[in-house]
């Protein structure tokens, strides 16, 4: 009986920040937020049903991951990847 229980991963509770982060990341990866597009906090927050605070935390995390650029007086913008960026990413993946 204990062996069967050990096979299943534990259920973890996710924070609102983690949920917003995952959804926002998915929106970028799936192209719903296009490269170069400004992230309208009010619109995206309303779409996800969250306030600006968890959304801003998620945007900061995405900026640290390199998916978003935060520009003074412009806000958060989905990063555009150049051919050189993609070549470097593929090189890293190949090495791994």
């Amino acid at each position: 009986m204990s062996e069967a229980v050990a096979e299943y991963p534990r259920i973890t509770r996710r924070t609102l920040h983690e949920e917003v982060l995952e959804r926002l990341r998915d929106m970028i990866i799936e192209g719903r937020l296009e490269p170069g597009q400004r992230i309208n906090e009010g619109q995206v927050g309303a779409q996800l049903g969250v306030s600006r605070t968890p959304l801003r935390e998620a945007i900061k995390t995405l900026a640290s991951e390199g998916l978003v650029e935060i520009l003074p007086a412009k806000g958060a913008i989905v990063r555009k990847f150049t051919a050189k960026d993609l070549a470097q990413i593929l090189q890293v993946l190949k090495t791994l």
Side-chain angles (χ1 to χ4, degrees):
M1 178 81 164
S2 63
E3 289 178 26
V5 173
E7 293 177 22
Y8 292 98
R10 295 186 65 150
I11 296 173
T12 58
R13 292 186 180 186
R14 295 177 55 123
T15 64
L16 182 59
H17 166 74
E18 291 170 327
E19 288 290 333
V20 173
L21 176 61
E22 183 176 325
R23 297 252 181 112
L24 200 53
R25 187 183 293 122
D26 288 345
M27 291 171 77
I28 292 170
I29 292 169
E30 293 168 2
R32 288 185 271 159
L33 291 173
E34 297 179 7
Q37 180 180 348
R38 182 179 165 274
I39 299 174
N40 183 319
E41 292 178 4
Q43 183 181 12
V44 174
Q47 186 178 2
L48 297 178
V50 298
S51 68
R52 289 184 183 208
T53 301
L55 184 59
R56 285 180 179 162
E57 290 174 7
I59 288 171
K60 287 179 186 176
T61 302
L62 291 172
S64 71
E65 292 176 359
L67 289 175
V68 170
E69 293 177 298
I70 299 175
L71 303 175
K74 289 192 178 184
I77 302 197
V78 178
R79 183 169 173 214
K80 289 183 182 181
F81 289 94
T82 64
K84 182 179 178 181
D85 292 332
L86 294 176
Q88 290 174 344
I89 291 168
L90 291 174
Q91 183 62 40
V92 170
L93 290 174
K94 181 180 174 184
T95 304
L96 294 175

